[in-house]
Amino acid sequence: MSEDKINKMQEKINLIFSDCEVCEVVSQALAEDPEQILKMLLVSSLRGRGGAGFPTSLKWKFARQAPGDRKFVIVNADEGEPGTFKDREILEKVPYKVFAGMAICAHTIGAREGFIYLRGEYNYMRKTLEEQIQDFHNKIAGKLDFVIKIVSGAGAYVCGEETALIESMEGKRGEPRNKPPYPVTAGYLGCPTVVNNVETLVYVTMIMKMGPQHFASLGTQHSRGAKVFSISGDTPIPGIYELELGMSLAEFVELFGDGDTKAVQVGGAGGFCVPRKKFTETIIGFEGVPTGGSMMLFNSTRSMYNVLHNYLDFFCEESCGQCTPCRVGCQQLRKGIEEVKNHSLKPVHLDVLKKMTDTMRYASKCGLGQSVPNSFNSIIDNFREEIIF
Amino acid sequence: MKKIKIQIDNREVEVDEGTTILKAAEKLNIHIPTLCHHEDLCIAGNCRVCVVEVEGANLLSASCATPVMEGMKIHTNSMKVRNTRRTILDMLLSEHAGECTSCTRSGNCELQTLAGYYASPDNALLDISIKSKPDTSSPSITKDDSKCIRCQRCVRTCEEIQKVGALSMSGKGEHAKVSTFFELPLNTVICTNCGQCVTRCPTGALVERSYIDEVWDALSNPDVHTVVQTAPAVRVGLGEALGHDPGGRFTGKMVSALRNLGFDAVFDTNFTADLTIIEEGSELLARLTNVLTGDKSAQLPMFTSCSPGWIKFIEHRWPHLLGHLSTCKSPQQMFGPLAKTRYPEATGVNPQKICSISIMPCTAKKFEADRPEMRASGFKDVDYVLTTRELAKMIKQAGIDFDALEESECDSMLGKHTGAAVIFGATGGVMEAAIRTVYELVTGRQVPFENLNITPVRGMEGIREATLKIEGTVEKYRFLEGVEVKVAIAHGLINADKLMEAVNGGNAPWHFIEVMACPGGCLSGGGQPIPTSPDIRAARANAIYEEDASLLLRKSHENPEITKLYEEFLVDGPLGHTSHHLLHTHYTPRP
Ligand SMILES: Cc1cc2nc3c(=O)[nH]c(=O)nc-3n(C[C@H](O)[C@H](O)[C@H](O)COP(=O)(O)O)c2cc1C
Ligand code: SF4
């Protein structure tokens, strides 16, 4: 029943995985004035699909305006967020649409070099991708002076953070940089650089093909368009789905749940954990809970203590460890809930920890440390009992 | 330069574009606490202690790393900033296994100071520190990871100032730490022992390996005869460790303090600095003579060899250039064998009972004293090396009221010195001292600089060059007539490395190169008082040149005790057989 419904919903959208005459789209885009492309992106209201949701038109505009002879386009295919696996699927199924998005970006900002920063575990696709890139180079030969190369990821989650990604590309330890300057003014090798998620670039290609209005007509006022979701956990139908933004979690659970859904973790380990009682009021999108695509469903057999502990293990390990709030904060959170669980500490310690997360949120150097409080606080607030007893 | 107008704590200030919030606040005399920030190093922005609130932004900004923007309204002391600062200090303390009471840095620890100001009176965070065993393998530096706050100042120092890279970050998250190559003991890696990391560590994670106890033992043992030497830079640094502002000179009080501590003979490394000039100057002339008279085996440029951090660096990185190094030992190691040969010979003290101790601005000297070749006297030439900081600590331990001490002079025989020796303590000093002597040997006239101040070789530029035309030579050095002698000076090993690139590439125009491992020279060595900064180094350099100018004798060859030494002891003269045995050395390639 719900599978039919889901299929129908997907067919209605069908942007990411649809067939597309990539060459035509690229030729058409190259004929456009870059300013016109920026305008189209603005009208489409496309926001980055990598998690932070930064308006793509604005990002490209900054890079276009930044002075410099050498500029770069980088595709972030590091896909390290627990519970996301959509970029792999996109690169396998519609790689040319990604290359096309890169070419359009290159044309818009004035770049001649592009990189695909490919998660180390995805190296098995490298050879195929390289052949496809060669073919793409042949196709655009004479139209656009643009070369794409693949860079293998350094294997750490934090390397998905765009400035850490750039550091690692430069052969350094993958540690996030101070911002400003942002990559759009001083990125790879100090040159203006656009870093975009795989999915974002495919949407760019489709916006060029179908016009920005079509995209903007999908979704809600604050979350235009559609999004590819990686759905996992306690669901009978895990997988990758392209859905319109702006759906409520109640609707979502109706479609994907197993009938016993107690909570949904939206946006991966750094996202929000929404309990059943808030499903109806919670919108999936920038006005509600934003997500880079990860949707994890938990049913009533799951211990939220274990879920949280698991996330904290992940953060303790995957924080780059350079800045105090994140390095120490993550360890304090994990040890703190352990001690509360085994009754060495009174439950009020959870409040000490919650207060401490303010510092993680406001003072961490990058999005990793800044987002740890999301899952911690939402789980503590909604499942306090499960943490204590 | 474009000017930017901003407001900090409701006060207006105008600064150059690109200025950081931290610097802008300094202009208003608003102090923002920092830990990972250091004047000498690139910006890290990782401790987050310096965060401030910028109106309109939800996230706080690291003031050390954030450039000002027009119209910014900044608050350095808002509730949000105060809460965050406090939590960050609490966090740092929770992972710091600091045994404050017994720590070398207690009283001069940046973490301790900030904790005193900002940390919670009752830190509710859990203890997550890891009590690891310190690495005490190195004779120079002790590394205690359990006190490390991961500010990475040491890593940046080793990389940016020294280009050594012996320390780097390993592991991530909770495992992130400062490591040597594969966690090997410090004495087995490419560490040069310079101790620049030690002088920039905000806590006690990196400290000198202390020999205070050994020295106290020697001082209290009636059967041991203690002989002490002090390097030129010590007297311009010591005051800082005893509460004075940078730039003070304390030679006389230092000598009295050493006597009060109980040293049997108080001598001066400056004496052997003068001796170094005689030997090294002669070696330079010999090499020049050989090269200019067609001997292809003599290698120029000649490099100075007084800085043991530099020696270990070149042994590791440029082993095939070791032939360029002067064979002269450093002044410390020239003093060592004399203290156990010349001194007992003249006084009748049993050399077996002599314990030779040196006070150095340097941690690498501890390693140097341990080198197997440094036993020319038949004993270990220098038994223990203490840093300036360790001497200050002993003075405090002994309850000596340093400021109230009368000034006194070193004992004679190995104690007299000239201004040329004093300036060894500053970058360019060995060069200047050498030129004062060599020029006069070759021409019979004083160097053509006002008051003997060879200003072109002074200063704090990382690399300096100078050319001196030789004219009016005496008979013996006629072949040098009209020759333009070219010299270069580097301090900080990253700069030395640049000169070595040139020498290696065969396009080095110089005859003589002075290298000091530490920026500023010995005056900012790894054993000097903490902190260091460009201003502090400038003040110490100033004191050194003042001391030089205040002396009557300012050329090494005018030191009467040196003349006497050659007459009575090193009778076959500079580079002679005895000199060669006692005062010259060889090097070990460590590729
Ligand atoms: C810890 C961390 C990990 C991240 N990992 C990824 C990732 O794997 N893929 C990705 O596209 N963006 C990731 N991001 C977001 C990127 O920093 C960046 O915002 C994004 O690539 C920009 O692309 P977009 O504007 O197209 O979304 C990560 C951010 C953080 C803080
Ligand atoms: S927030 Fe975490 S991951 Fe980001 S810079 Fe700080 S320690 Fe590294």
Side-chain angles (χ1 to χ4, degrees):
Chain A
M1 239 296 285
S2 65
E3 277 179 65
D4 275 357
K5 202 166 162 197
I6 294 167
N7 285 341
K8 280 218 186 78
M9 289 169 78
Q10 291 206 93
E11 269 162 35
K12 178 186 155 207
I13 299 158
N14 195 24
L15 291 172
I16 291 286
F17 295 107
S18 63
D19 290 336
C20 165
E21 257 313 316
V22 164
C23 277
E24 263 174 39
V25 180
V26 173
S27 302
Q28 178 198 326
L30 293 183
E32 292 285 3
D33 183 58
E35 289 297 332
Q36 187 55 33
I37 296 179
L38 291 178
K39 205 169 275 165
M40 287 169 80
L41 289 177
L42 184 67
V43 172
S44 77
S45 301
L46 175 63
R47 293 170 69 166
R49 291 326 197 214
F54 195 81
T56 307
S57 64
L58 209 54
K59 188 182 276 192
W60 289 20
K61 186 170 145 189
F62 289 146
R64 176 173 159 73
Q65 286 169 348
D69 295 336
R70 213 172 161 199
K71 297 184 184 182
F72 299 100
V73 182
I74 297 174
V75 184
N76 189 341
D78 197 48
E79 197 159 50
E81 187 66 53
T84 45
F85 35 93
K86 49 144 187 125
D87 291 337
R88 175 177 72 183
E89 185 103 345
I90 296 174
L91 279 170
E92 279 190 323
K93 293 215 168 119
V94 288
Y96 284 83
K97 285 163 82 170
V98 180
F99 308 154
M102 293 175 80
I104 296 164
C105 179
H107 169 61
T108 309
I109 68 167
R112 287 184 302 277
E113 293 158 272
F115 295 95
I116 299 176
Y117 188 90
L118 189 66
R119 181 184 165 96
E121 286 83 345
Y122 296 173
N123 257 329
Y124 69 89
M125 330 180 186
R126 187 168 177 149
K127 198 157 167 282
T128 316
L129 273 176
E130 266 163 0
E131 284 161 16
Q132 289 160 336
I133 288 171
Q134 191 49 50
D135 182 45
F136 182 75
H137 283 163
N138 295 340
K139 288 195 166 117
I140 60 165
K143 293 186 212 156
L144 181 68
D145 175 12
F146 182 59
V147 185
I148 299 173
K149 287 194 191 113
I150 297 181
V151 183
S152 196
Y157 168 57
V158 74
C159 287
E161 196 280 340
E162 54 191 10
T163 60
L165 180 152
I166 289 169
E167 286 283 293
S168 107
M169 275 180 61
E170 292 178 359
K172 294 179 242 164
R173 229 176 109 80
E175 287 185 350
R177 294 177 176 173
N178 291 299
K179 285 155 279 191
Y182 292 92
V184 283
T185 51
Y188 180 52
L189 305 178
C191 303
T193 303
V194 162
V195 182
N196 270 137
N197 176 252
V198 174
E199 182 188 334
T200 311
L201 288 169
V202 176
Y203 278 126
V204 167
T205 304
M206 294 314 287
I207 288 165
M208 287 302 124
K209 179 181 151 91
M210 307 182 70
Q213 279 82 13
H214 175 74
F215 186 83
S217 71
L218 300 169
T220 65
Q221 193 195 344
H222 297 289
S223 311
R224 301 270 182 210
K227 166 101 202 67
V228 184
F229 290 90
S230 312
I231 298 170
S232 64
D234 296 316
T235 165
I237 43 171
I240 288 164
Y241 300 88
E242 186 180 23
L243 304 168
E244 230 175 308
L245 283 172
M247 172 191 290
S248 79
L249 262 183
E251 277 176 88
F252 177 86
V253 168
E254 177 78 18
L255 293 170
F256 295 96
D258 63 358
D260 183 22
T261 308
K262 130 163 126 176
V264 182
Q265 178 77 16
V266 185
F272 294 87
C273 186
V274 184
R276 183 170 16 205
K277 63 174 186 283
K278 293 186 185 154
F279 284 170
T280 314
E281 64 191 69
T282 308
I283 304 277
I284 306 171
F286 297 107
E287 62 269 65
V289 281
T291 170
S294 164
M295 305 291 287
M296 258 186 259
L297 292 89
F298 300 112
N299 68 20
S300 61
T301 66
R302 306 291 163 185
S303 146
M304 295 317 284
Y305 173 84
N306 288 346
V307 168
L308 178 58
H309 196 271
N310 209 314
Y311 289 151
L312 293 174
D313 270 343
F314 174 78
F315 285 129
C316 284
E317 182 74 29
E318 293 298 336
S319 148
C320 79
Q322 68 163 316
C323 80
T324 314
C326 174
R327 178 186 66 248
V328 180
C330 293
Q331 296 176 69
Q332 286 293 345
L333 294 178
R334 184 179 59 187
K335 187 158 184 185
I337 63 164
E338 285 170 358
E339 306 268 292
V340 169
K341 187 78 178 173
N342 69 24
H343 304 303
S344 308
L345 280 177
K346 296 236 167 70
V348 289
H349 189 67
L350 296 177
D351 303 314
V352 171
L353 295 177
K354 276 190 65 181
K355 192 155 167 254
M356 185 195 73
T357 61
D358 283 346
T359 294
M360 300 179 74
R361 186 189 304 285
Y362 300 132
S364 288
K365 190 166 175 176
C366 87
L368 193 153
Q370 289 158 14
S371 67
V372 173
N374 294 343
S375 49
F376 183 82
N377 288 337
S378 57
I379 292 177
I380 296 288
D381 288 346
N382 294 307
F383 303 96
R384 194 176 170 102
E385 251 199 30
E386 288 191 43
I387 306 301
I388 300 169
F389 299 106
Chain B
M1 170 116 8
K2 203 175 142 196
K3 293 282 178 194
I4 307 274
K5 234 196 215 139
I6 55 165
Q7 245 186 37
I8 306 181
D9 297 344
N10 304 317
R11 289 161 63 196
E12 302 256 330
V13 63
E14 199 178 71
V15 292
D16 289 340
E17 189 176 20
T19 307
T20 61
I21 295 176
L22 182 69
K23 290 279 162 216
E26 264 171 29
K27 240 186 128 175
L28 290 172
N29 295 319
I30 294 172
H31 178 73
I32 299 173
T34 57
L35 274 175
C36 69
H37 178 75
H38 196 286
E39 287 296 304
D40 294 330
L41 304 172
C42 81
I43 290 166
N46 58 29
C47 75
R48 316 305 283 177
V49 166
C50 73
V51 288
V52 294
E53 191 168 355
V54 178
E55 272 184 33
N58 188 32
L59 299 179
L60 299 174
S61 297
S63 59
C64 71
T66 311
V68 294
M69 283 195 289
E70 189 62 45
M72 257 185 181
K73 291 196 171 115
I74 297 154
H75 301 280
T76 71
N77 190 29
S78 65
M79 181 67 98
K80 188 165 166 181
V81 169
R82 279 198 306 272
N83 284 341
T84 306
R85 232 177 239 166
R86 164 175 282 195
T87 308
I88 290 175
L89 259 305
D90 288 354
M91 285 174 159
L92 286 170
L93 295 174
S94 79
E95 67 168 352
H96 175 80
E99 306 279 328
C100 270
T101 41
S102 59
C103 180
T104 311
R105 287 293 297 276
S106 192
N108 181 23
C109 166
E110 293 177 46
L111 180 64
Q112 196 181 51
T113 306
L114 292 193
Y117 287 141
Y118 302 109
S120 307
D122 48 352
N123 191 348
L125 300 184
L126 302 171
D127 179 5
I128 56 163
S129 65
I130 299 167
K131 283 154 192 90
S132 52
K133 255 185 102 139
D135 176 355
T136 54
S137 65
S138 158
S140 298
I141 296 169
T142 296
K143 175 170 176 277
D144 186 350
D145 293 339
S146 61
K147 291 177 180 167
C148 173
I149 58 164
R150 282 88 164 166
C151 67
Q152 303 189 31
R153 278 194 200 170
C154 56
V155 173
R156 283 175 282 152
T157 300
C158 200
E159 190 57 46
E160 292 167 20
I161 298 181
Q162 302 298 55
K163 207 185 171 188
V164 171
L167 299 174
S168 57
M169 290 303 288
S170 75
K172 56 186 190 335
E174 57 185 321
H175 308 294
K177 67 184 290 263
V178 174
S179 293
T180 55
F181 185 66
F182 279 108
E183 298 288 348
L184 287 168
L186 211 47
N187 68 334
T188 61
V189 297
I190 54 171
C191 167
T192 63
N193 305 303
C194 73
Q196 286 301 301
C197 56
V198 171
T199 57
R200 288 179 185 76
C201 178
T203 72
L206 287 160
V207 295
E208 69 272 22
R209 165 78 185 278
S210 176
Y211 294 88
I212 291 180
D213 288 346
E214 287 82 346
V215 172
W216 277 129
D217 284 349
L219 286 169
S220 352
N221 187 337
D223 290 333
V224 172
H225 186 85
T226 49
V227 174
V228 68
Q229 54 165 323
T230 56
V234 175
R235 60 210 70 184
V236 299
L238 185 62
E240 288 166 49
L242 295 167
H244 290 267
D245 285 338
R249 295 185 273 137
F250 295 94
T251 316
K253 284 188 193 299
M254 176 186 72
V255 172
S256 302
L258 290 166
R259 289 220 173 85
N260 283 10
L261 287 174
F263 287 100
D264 295 308
V266 179
F267 290 134
D268 202 329
T269 317
N270 278 344
F271 170 76
T272 37
D274 278 332
L275 183 59
T276 301
I277 289 301
I278 305 301
E279 292 289 329
E280 196 161 317
S282 306
E283 184 184 354
L284 177 65
L285 279 173
R287 288 191 191 224
L288 274 171
T289 309
N290 292 345
V291 168
L292 292 175
T293 54
D295 176 355
K296 293 264 179 313
S297 69
Q299 299 192 43
L300 283 179
M302 183 173 92
F303 310 151
T304 59
S305 56
C306 334
S307 168
W310 151 238
I311 300 297
K312 187 144 184 281
F313 180 80
I314 183 174
E315 287 177 337
H316 281 297
R317 203 185 274 273
W318 301 98
H320 59 287
L321 296 181
L322 284 173
H324 289 263
L325 265 186
S326 162
T327 58
C328 287
K329 288 180 182 170
S330 71
Q332 164 178 281
Q333 293 303 143
M334 285 201 181
F335 184 94
L338 291 179
K340 293 195 180 182
T341 54
R342 159 84 167 153
Y343 174 68
E345 219 179 271
T347 55
V349 176
N350 178 355
Q352 271 182 326
K353 294 195 165 171
I354 293 178
C355 179
S356 145
I357 292 141
S358 74
I359 317 288
M360 292 285 142
C362 182
T363 45
K365 292 275 179 204
K366 294 178 187 253
F367 169 82
E368 185 187 39
D370 277 0
R371 292 176 79 113
E373 58 272 24
M374 297 301 174
R375 293 173 165 270
S377 61
F379 309 95
K380 193 179 176 206
D381 293 331
V382 175
D383 293 287
Y384 301 114
V385 180
L386 301 179
T387 60
T388 310
R389 295 188 294 269
E390 288 170 275
L391 173 61
K393 190 167 177 181
M394 287 181 74
I395 291 173
K396 287 184 199 161
Q397 286 176 339
I400 295 170
D401 182 348
F402 187 74
D403 292 351
L405 289 173
E406 296 280 330
E407 306 209 342
S408 63
E409 283 194 18
C410 285
D411 297 324
S412 58
M413 184 166 17
L414 304 174
K416 277 247 163 353
H417 65 270
T418 71
V422 172
I423 57 176
F424 263 59
T427 166
V430 176
M431 182 59 73
E432 180 164 349
I435 294 176
R436 284 183 194 171
T437 288
V438 171
Y439 189 90
E440 202 160 315
L441 272 179
V442 169
T443 65
R445 285 172 286 115
Q446 207 162 273
V447 282
F449 290 93
E450 202 181 329
N451 295 330
L452 296 174
N453 296 336
I454 310 180
T455 44
V457 303
R458 296 186 183 181
M460 287 290 167
E461 270 312 287
I463 293 176
R464 304 186 294 285
E465 293 178 80
T467 304
L468 193 66
K469 189 161 183 180
I470 309 272
E471 280 168 325
T473 43
V474 299
E475 184 63 34
K476 185 172 170 204
Y477 293 109
R478 229 1 82 76
F479 64 92
L480 281 172
E481 187 62 36
V483 169
E484 292 200 326
V485 174
K486 291 190 159 63
V487 301
I489 293 136
H491 57 129
L493 291 169
I494 192 161
N495 295 315
D497 199 65
K498 288 177 195 151
L499 294 185
M500 291 309 108
E501 289 281 0
V503 173
N504 190 46
N507 46 12
W510 313 290
H511 299 97
F512 189 28
I513 294 179
E514 179 206 289
V515 177
M516 291 295 154
C518 299
C522 308
L523 58 86
S524 184
Q528 288 286 70
I530 300 170
T532 180
S533 73
D535 286 346
I536 292 173
R537 292 194 288 278
R540 291 179 193 162
N542 208 28
I544 286 210
Y545 288 115
E546 272 173 24
E547 177 102 349
D548 168 36
S550 76
L551 294 174
L552 278 177
L553 299 179
R554 297 179 57 208
K555 292 175 268 182
S556 296
H557 55 277
E558 290 179 347
N559 183 333
E561 288 189 353
I562 294 283
T563 315
K564 208 161 153 209
L565 181 74
Y566 278 109
E567 281 167 10
E568 296 177 1
F569 190 71
L570 305 170
V571 287
D572 34 8
L575 309 184
H577 183 74
T578 322
S579 280
H580 187 80
H581 173 61
L582 293 178
L583 310 181
H584 290 255
T585 187
H586 57 271
Y587 304 103
T588 314
R590 304 170 198 262

